[in-house]
Each structure stands twice: as C-alpha cells, then as structure tokens.
Amino acid sequence: MGNTYRGWATVIADGAGTPVEADLYAIQEKGRLSAWHGSLHATVGGSRWAVRGKTLDLRLPNGRQGECVITKVFPETGRAEVTGNGPVPFGAEHER
C-alpha cells in the first residue's frame, strides 16, 4: 500500500454512507505519515455530500477510518478534493 491508497471507500455524511472511488496520498515528515490529501469520486449521489468545507468520515474496506474536509467540488462529475483532518487511515504505518 505504501503512502497511497487507490480503491473503494465509503463516505459517511449526515448519517448516510455513499460508496466512492478514492485516490489518496500521504505526506511523510520525520519518518511518520503526517498529512493526507486526495480526491473522491461518487458515481451515485455525489452532489448530496460534495459541499466545500464539509467534514466527512471516510471508511476504507479494511475498517480503518479517517476524517476529511472537502476543499474543492466538481458537482457535474461527482468528484471532490479532500484534505485529511487527523491521522492517516492508510499507508505504510498500517501495514505492520
């Protein structure tokens, strides 16, 4: 997995789960993953949760979960850019 994650995830917002394709990457500082960013693409219902500045929970298939904030929205495609808010829920630190 390394410091990236590309695959399916579930966005949890307003009590509802939406399946998304996630393309995420982490930044490593001083030997630890310190921040994460990326994009989410919802094939169904993306306009419902894609509101700039909104905080979402992102759950990966392995059960790990992280919180992120939407920084940019593309409602016509269901794509949103996100910045992680808290610990990185994927990457080398979780492979041990």
Side-chain angles (χ1 to χ4, degrees), residues 4-68:
T4 63
Y5 175 77
R6 178 176 269 166
W8 289 102
T10 301
V11 167
I12 302 164
D14 301 327
T18 301
V20 296
E21 291 180 60
D23 189 4
L24 309 171
Y25 64 94
I27 298 169
Q28 189 168 359
E29 292 178 356
K30 299 180 183 178
R32 294 190 49 84
L33 299 179
S34 62
W36 57 285
H37 307 273
S39 64
L40 306 175
H41 181 262
T43 56
V44 177
S47 61
R48 187 179 75 225
W49 57 263
V51 177
R52 187 173 175 204
K54 187 169 189 171
T55 300
L56 309 168
D57 288 318
L58 182 67
R59 184 177 301 140
L60 303 181
N62 65 5
R64 297 220 179 257
Q65 191 163 312
E67 186 177 89
C68 58

Side-chain angles (χ1 to χ4, degrees), residues 35-38 54 67-72 81-86:
W36 57 285
H37 307 273
K54 187 169 189 171
E67 186 177 89
C68 58
V69 175
I70 294 176
T71 57
K72 193 168 185 178
E81 292 181 2
V82 296
T83 296
N85 187 13

